[in-house]
Each structure stands twice: as C-alpha cells, then as structure tokens.
Amino acid sequence: SITINGVFNDAANKSHAVFKTVPSTSVARTVSLNISAQTLANECLFSDYALTRAASGELTWTAPGMLSDGTLPTWS
C-alpha cells in the first residue's frame, strides 16, 4: 500500500488532473519511485482523493492506493 500527498496543483498533467476522477471510480495509476537511479514502478488502485484546507490557507491532498493486480514490483 501507499499513501501519497502534496499541495494542490491544477495544471495539466499534475496532481489534480491525475487524481480528480478517483472519488467516483476505481482508478489504476502507475506509481514510480526513483532512488539513486533505481526505479520501482507498479500499478496502484487509488481509493480516495481527499482535499484539505490548512489553517494557513494551503490546499493539500492525500491519495491512498493499493497494488491493483497483486503483482509484486521489482527494482530496475
């Protein structure tokens, strides 16, 4: 499982464009983790896209996901 979060961004191909359909449908997305030129890519099924307004005024989001097909990803 994975939970990703960030600051709201509605520009093309950014967080809002990628996750805005999650609350109404089961949405699989490719998630790639990159560390020291190594990549772990996997398909995740996201179940929620929650927006929160902080006291400071910042609009943030959280999106929890699980492996969509049960295939264990490997580093490449």
Side-chain angles (χ1 to χ4, degrees):
S1 66
I2 187 171
T3 298
I4 55 178
N5 52 59
V7 176
F8 183 83
N9 186 341
D10 63 350
N13 295 321
K14 298 299 180 184
S15 59
H16 185 66
V18 171
F19 292 114
K20 67 184 178 184
T21 60
V22 168
S24 61
T25 61
S26 295
V27 179
R29 297 285 186 253
T30 302
V31 175
S32 295
L33 303 173
N34 299 300
I35 301 172
S36 298
Q38 299 293 312
T39 301
L40 182 66
N42 51 84
E43 293 297 314
C44 289
L45 187 61
F46 287 91
S47 58
D48 193 18
Y49 172 56
L51 296 170
T52 305
R53 174 78 63 189
S56 64
E58 185 176 64
L59 184 61
T60 59
W61 57 269
T62 301
M66 299 287 285
L67 285 175
S68 65
D69 59 7
T71 301
L72 186 61
T74 57
W75 290 95
S76 61

